[in-house]
Amino acid sequence: MSFTDAVRSCLMSKYATFSGRARRSEYWWFSVLYAVGILLLVGISIAIEQPLLNVLLVALIVPMLAVSVRRLHDTGKSGWRMLIALIPVVGPVIYLVGMAVDSEAPRSSRTAVPIGSKSRTAERARGTEA
């Protein structure tokens, strides 16, 4: 997923969607946008001596939480696991490691083996495909 696709997905189509899955690229590209936005607003706030950071936080807190929960779902964890980041010192480290791990295959038997994969082809050859 490209940067523009990730931003469009998080800000337009899945703004407050806490169910489903988000690939690593979607989560990290949106995190890059979030970090750059914070840096820009901090710089502008310092230049004009007015606090502007609340503007960004209000606008992007819901999609950031939503993409984080969907990312945890993609790794096979509950969305509540993001509360682990509240533990001092080690919590944020555990949280970031959890966000960086690879995706887990869906638990549904219908989508567990992608079409065209080697195991699906082997099932067809043996005649054991469901």
Side-chain angles (χ1 to χ4, degrees):
M1 177 175 277
S2 69
F3 176 76
T4 55
D5 292 337
V7 171
R8 189 177 303 120
S9 172
C10 291
L11 292 180
M12 305 279 187
S13 61
K14 297 180 181 179
Y15 184 86
T17 303
F18 289 86
S19 61
R21 300 163 70 101
R23 304 290 296 176
R24 270 190 294 196
S25 59
E26 181 180 3
Y27 173 77
W28 288 110
W29 280 126
F30 191 71
S31 295
V32 165
L33 171 76
Y34 193 73
V36 168
I38 287 175
L39 291 174
L40 285 174
L41 278 181
V42 165
I44 293 169
S45 295
I46 291 171
I48 64 172
E49 298 177 359
Q50 293 291 322
L52 295 176
L53 196 54
N54 293 339
V55 174
L56 182 73
L57 293 179
V58 167
L60 294 181
I61 193 71
V62 172
M64 192 65 202
L65 289 172
V67 76
S68 297
V69 168
R70 290 195 317 269
R71 177 68 195 130
L72 285 169
H73 290 168
D74 194 46
T75 62
K77 309 288 188 275
S78 169
W80 290 103
R81 182 154 181 171
M82 69 189 305
L83 295 176
I84 203 163
L86 298 175
I87 299 171
V89 182
V90 296
V93 173
I94 295 170
Y95 176 76
L96 286 175
V97 168
M99 292 302 192
V101 298
D102 200 10
S103 302
E104 185 178 273
R107 291 196 173 103
S108 170
S109 62
R110 185 170 45 95
T111 58
V113 180
I115 294 173
S117 69
K118 291 181 182 179
S119 57
R120 174 75 65 147
T121 307
E123 287 176 358
R124 278 193 208 129
R126 287 192 306 252
T128 59
E129 184 178 28

